[in-house]
């Protein structure tokens, strides 16, 4: 019965989170997800009444994020149509260049500030600087996926701090993102904006009007053979299995490395979730090659990934160790201020120099994504481009195919933490700085064009 009660308690937190969001106008205007609200309520209950809450009500919650993150990442590319890079190649290259510079910059400033200031003053580990990219660019899912790696490397506090960073990043992304949108509206940078006040009463409360409720997905198989949802869950499971196979292959190949390299155990420290993303990409390629991709509906895959992320966030937030956060609040506050400053610099200065057509719409989608999650970025994009009249959504989706396997929960995100522990902060700092320089050269040599005329830039907002 313990598993049943524990699952029901998580469902209760999500429902209560939705009810509170519906009842409190400020939370609706901030577009805070119900999973964040429900998780915060669970955290408050466990922190304040933990000794009075029966164990069975929250048994196993800590293990849920580490499992569900594999599902979330496996669903990223299954059912996705591969974009036509011949038509959008240059715009995608600009978007990728911008996204890479932002992500690598998070490592450069995070590791530098930690090594120079935070470690000498507060005795935090060198990997503390990785939290900006893990929490902001990666989000709750990536933080959850890194918990086992943190524990294996002897830094159990990393998981709680990662969840806290991700929560701060999501709130910053929504609040500052909407502030940027409102400033852009006042300056005439964007015109097709649908403000909160212009939403219907049902939409303000987070519901679809009955006549406009969209389908959650298409059924691609007959239910007398297998239920369509069960089929899509099985496909996702196959992607996770491919990721598991890739992890086993990496570990086997790692045994052939020199002893000095094997002793660092970097390969063993790589978590499973980025390889599940690669597994989903491989599986989608096989489905397309065999012309069986019509058997997979992207809508149903999205629902599986979205539901997994909601349960991941609510369980992750509810189980944060407040003691760990309080003990590290000073270095964490400094790191967060640095991360927010870098995020705003990239949005207000860097974006307008790299992104060309529809620069603000493309920037605001990136801003929401690299401070929160992809859903945050798409929410901000819908605010400025509700009818998808710009190229932003198409270009962003194509860019993610190239960006996600490496950053924001990709292979480098997974490798950077064990590398910092094994090699120290400065080698990883120099690798990140070299990557920034390389992408800067790509922009200067291949993508830079003459300044645009008659464009309102953000520095004037």
């Amino acid at each position: 019965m313990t598993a049943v009660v524990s699952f029901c308690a998580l469902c209760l937190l999500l429902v209560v989170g939705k009810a509170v969001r519906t009842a409190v106008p400020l939370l609706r205007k901030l577009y805070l997800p119900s999973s964040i609200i429900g998780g915060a309520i669970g955290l408050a209950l466990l922190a304040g009444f933990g000794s009075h809450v029966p164990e069975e009500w929250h048994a196993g919650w800590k293990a849920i994020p580490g499992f569900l993150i594999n599902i979330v990442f496996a669903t990223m590319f299954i059912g996705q149509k591969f974009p036509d890079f011949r038509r959008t190649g240059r715009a995608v290259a600009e978007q990728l260049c911008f996204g890479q510079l932002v992500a690598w910059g998070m490592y450069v400033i995070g590791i530098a500030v930690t090594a120079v200031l935070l470690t000498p003053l507060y005795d935090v580990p060198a990997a503390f600087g990785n939290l900006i990219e893990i929490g902001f660019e990666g989000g709750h899912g990536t933080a959850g996926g890194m918990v086992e790696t943190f524990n294996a490397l002897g830094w159990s506090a990393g998981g709680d701090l990662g969840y806290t960073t991700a929560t701060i990043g999501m709130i910053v992304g929504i609040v500052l993102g909407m502030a940027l949108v409102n400033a852009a509206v006042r300056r005439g940078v964007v015109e097709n904006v649908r403000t909160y006040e212009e939403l219907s009463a049902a939409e303000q409360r987070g519901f679809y009007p009955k006549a406009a409720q969209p389908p959650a997905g298409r059924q691609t198989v007959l239910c007398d053979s297998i239920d369509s949802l069960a089929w899509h869950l099985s496909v996702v499971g196959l992607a996770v299995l491919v990721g598991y196979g890739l992890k086993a292959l990496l570990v086997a190949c790692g045994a052939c490395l020199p002893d000095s390299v094997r002793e660092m155990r970097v390969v063993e420290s790589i978590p499973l979730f980025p390889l599940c993303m690669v597994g989903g990409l491989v599986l989608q390629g096989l489905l397309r090659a065999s012309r069986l991709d019509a058997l997979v509906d992207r809508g149903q895959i999205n629902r599986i990934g979205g539901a997994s992320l909601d349960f991941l966030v609510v369980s992750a937030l509810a189980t944060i160790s407040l003691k760990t956060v309080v003990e590290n609040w000073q270095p964490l506050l400094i790191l967060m201020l640095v991360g927010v400053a870098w995020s705003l610099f990239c949005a207000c200065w860097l974006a307008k120099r790299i992104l060309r057509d529809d620069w603000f719409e493309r920037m605001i989608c990136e801003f929401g994504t690299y401070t929160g999650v992809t859903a945050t970025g798409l929410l901000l994009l819908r605010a400025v481009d509700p009818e998808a009249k710009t190229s932003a959504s198409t270009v962003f989706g194509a860019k993610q195919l190239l960006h996600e396997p490496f950053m924001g929960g990709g292979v480098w995100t997974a490798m950077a933490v064990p590398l910092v522990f094994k090699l120290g902060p400065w080698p990883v700092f120099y690798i990140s700085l070299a990557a920034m320089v390389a992408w800067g050269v790509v922009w200067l040599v291949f993508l830079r064009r003459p300044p645009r005329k008659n464009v309102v830039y953000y520095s004037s907002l």
Side-chain angles (χ1 to χ4, degrees), residues 252-374:
C253 293
C256 303
L257 296 172
D259 291 342
S260 58
V261 179
R262 280 193 290 112
E263 289 175 359
M264 296 171 60
R265 298 185 64 82
V266 173
V267 175
E268 290 83 354
S269 298
I270 297 175
L272 177 60
F273 69 91
L275 300 175
C276 293
M277 174 175 56
V278 177
L281 191 58
V282 170
L283 186 61
Q284 177 63 14
L286 292 174
L287 289 171
R288 284 178 58 85
S290 59
R291 298 183 178 180
L292 295 176
D293 51 316
L295 294 178
V296 177
D297 173 57
R298 181 59 194 172
Q300 293 215 37
I301 295 295
N302 277 336
R303 299 288 71 74
I304 293 171
S308 299
L309 185 60
D310 276 339
F311 278 97
L312 185 158
V313 171
V314 73
S315 59
L317 273 183
T319 54
I320 287 177
S321 170
L322 287 180
K323 180 182 177 182
T324 300
V325 176
V326 170
E327 289 174 349
N328 293 273
W329 76 268
Q330 290 177 306
L332 188 63
L333 176 61
I334 295 172
L335 191 71
M336 292 300 92
L337 291 175
V338 170
V340 171
W342 171 250
S343 300
L344 286 174
F345 168 79
C346 292
C348 300
W349 188 88
L350 188 64
K352 65 188 179 185
R353 286 163 172 79
I354 296 179
L355 308 178
R356 303 293 300 185
D357 301 328
D358 307 318
W359 80 271
F360 183 85
E361 289 85 354
R362 292 162 62 185
M363 176 279 290
I364 202 65
C365 187
E366 287 288 339
F367 179 80
T369 301
Y370 67 66
T371 54
V373 292
T374 301

Side-chain angles (χ1 to χ4, degrees), residues 17 20-33 37 196:
V20 171
R21 186 185 190 275
T22 302
V24 181
L26 177 60
L27 297 179
R28 301 201 303 268
K29 290 182 178 179
L30 291 177
Y31 294 97
L32 283 183
I37 300 169
Y196 176 82

Side-chain angles (χ1 to χ4, degrees), residues 107-108 110-116 119 124-130 412 416-417 419-432:
Y107 282 105
V108 170
I111 291 174
V113 168
T114 299
V116 174
T119 297
V124 296
F128 195 88
N130 294 48
W412 175 251
V417 170
L419 284 175
V420 168
F421 270 98
K422 303 301 181 181
L423 301 179
W426 293 114
V428 178
F429 170 85
Y430 289 122
I431 292 173
S432 303

